[in-house]
Amino acid sequence: MRAVFLDLQSLDDLDLQPLRSVVSELVCHQQTAVADVLDRIRGFDIVITNKAVLTAETIAQSDSLKLICVVATGVNNVDLDAAKQRDIPVCNCQGYGTSSVAQHVFSLMLALHTRLLDYHKAVGEGRWNRSEQFCLLDYPIQELQGKTLGLVGYGNLGRKVAEIARAFGMKVLVAQRPGAEPTQADDSRLPLNEMLPLVDVLSLHCPLTDATRNLIDARALRLMKPGSFLINAARGGIVDEPALVSALREGHLAGAATDVLLEEPPRHGNPLLEPDIPNLIVTPHCAWGSFQARSTIIAQAAENIHAFLEQGSPSRRVV
């Protein structure tokens, strides 16, 4: 079967041989605008997409389309109802970024607690050269040992972060699932409002849903312990961004780091990109992007297609 990859750009440094080995032809595009999708998928049996959008109209008009393979976990860029109506399977990739994201979370957490970026900047400005003693200690350094980490979201990623936290000597608390009725499995979990005043670090690992949109708002931030830290490597929209800026500028939080924003890329600006926000780190949605994680995406996509060709249904099928 012939396959077209609509938006290879974030994976274009990888070996695509696993994909090429399971299809008769693979045509790749770096990026594809919505207006160009229909023309580019015409005549192809398999469409591979990361974030390129497949609308209901596009799916309905693509006579040759037999499989949609999303090289990400989220499939909100595909009209699933339209695919289901045409009996076109949609599959995704899963669990590929657990180690990569957990590593990034602790990179951010450690940088905040050690004021790493501030010290790096101070050295670049020559302030160590002018120091009256052998070291420069202008910014407060804190240890993770003995601190309490609160987690919102306790799937594979949340559990991996908890495992690393315990290795640092941290105590771990887990919040009840936002918007869901507590179950027996939640017996050891705390309501979010009860957990927030207890934690020194809050780390988010839940999806963006109606129940989690602006979950960490001004009220939630006020409930957090003064001098605590916030890490968001989940999704933009879970944290009320202007409220977070205020909490940092007022000194209620000691620091925050986010790998995600409400708009990505932030073409129209963002409150968290304002200058001189104290002890804030923003990274460009790159936590998932280790070489190993992205290579796993290619391998999983090839597995999905192979299963579809051999068994009639792809692995990791969503619909």
Side-chain angles (χ1 to χ4, degrees):
M1 288 191 177
R2 303 176 70 225
V4 58
F5 202 139
L6 294 176
D7 48 351
L8 179 65
Q9 191 165 27
S10 64
L11 303 167
D12 63 358
D13 59 326
L14 302 175
D15 181 7
L16 300 183
Q17 184 54 36
L19 285 174
R20 297 189 190 280
S21 68
V22 294
V23 295
S24 59
E25 179 184 2
L26 177 65
V27 174
C28 297
H29 302 281
Q30 289 292 299
Q31 291 287 344
T32 300
V34 174
D36 298 326
V37 170
L38 183 57
D39 285 340
R40 288 188 172 179
I41 70 176
R42 186 172 284 118
F44 287 92
D45 306 285
I46 300 169
V47 171
I48 305 170
T49 175
N50 185 347
K51 298 293 184 288
V53 176
L54 294 175
T55 64
E57 181 182 8
T58 297
I59 293 170
Q61 296 182 51
S62 304
D63 295 336
S64 61
L65 185 57
K66 299 178 180 65
L67 174 67
I68 298 171
C69 188
V70 180
V71 286
T73 301
V75 293
N76 56 301
N77 56 319
V78 177
D79 192 308
L80 300 181
D81 289 335
K84 190 174 183 179
Q85 286 176 9
R86 285 201 51 205
D87 197 26
I88 298 172
V90 179
C91 56
N92 68 352
C93 298
Q94 301 170 11
Y96 54 85
T98 299
S99 293
S100 182
V101 175
Q103 175 177 287
H104 193 84
V105 165
F106 274 88
S107 296
L108 297 173
M109 200 182 303
L110 289 164
L112 289 173
H113 280 73
T114 62
R115 302 297 291 266
L116 183 70
L117 299 186
D118 290 313
Y119 279 112
H120 176 70
K121 181 181 178 183
V123 171
E125 292 172 345
R127 288 163 56 189
W128 191 18
N129 306 40
R130 300 187 296 271
S131 176
E132 295 179 355
Q133 58 175 338
F134 72 95
C135 61
L136 189 71
L137 289 172
D138 287 2
Y139 304 100
I141 299 170
Q142 300 188 48
E143 297 180 3
L144 297 183
Q145 172 77 31
K147 294 288 184 67
T148 298
L149 172 67
L151 296 172
V152 180
Y154 202 57
N156 290 336
L157 182 51
R159 287 180 168 84
K160 185 67 174 179
V161 170
E163 175 188 338
I164 299 171
R166 293 185 180 104
F168 272 98
M170 302 182 79
K171 178 182 177 181
V172 177
L173 300 177
V174 181
Q176 291 177 356
R177 293 177 179 87
E181 289 296 324
T183 66
Q184 188 172 358
D186 295 330
D187 286 348
S188 62
R189 301 185 184 188
L190 294 173
L192 179 63
N193 289 347
E194 292 182 18
M195 187 185 77
L196 290 177
L198 304 176
V199 302
D200 300 291
V201 185
L202 179 68
S203 191
L204 307 178
H205 303 287
C206 55
L208 178 62
T209 65
D210 290 341
T212 63
R213 192 175 305 278
N214 284 330
L215 180 70
I216 308 302
D217 57 8
R219 177 178 177 276
L221 291 167
R222 285 195 298 270
L223 287 173
M224 291 179 65
K225 186 186 299 186
S228 57
F229 296 83
L230 171 65
I231 311 286
N232 184 11
R235 286 290 183 267
I238 296 174
V239 176
D240 182 323
E241 294 169 340
L244 176 57
V245 172
S246 296
L248 289 167
R249 290 199 186 280
E250 293 166 3
H252 180 68
L253 295 187
T258 184
D259 187 53
V260 290
L261 296 176
L262 187 58
E263 180 193 31
E264 297 175 346
R267 302 194 191 282
H268 300 93
N270 187 286
L272 294 172
L273 300 180
E274 294 174 2
D276 303 321
I277 300 175
N279 208 19
L280 171 67
I281 300 173
V282 179
T283 54
H285 204 142
C286 60
W288 68 279
S290 71
F291 180 83
Q292 292 84 352
R294 292 182 302 117
S295 297
T296 299
I297 288 174
I298 296 296
Q300 288 189 5
E303 291 169 3
N304 292 344
I305 294 171
H306 179 73
F308 173 71
L309 297 178
E310 293 294 317
Q311 304 165 19
S313 182
S315 304
R316 306 174 187 89
R317 183 170 182 169
V318 179
V319 297

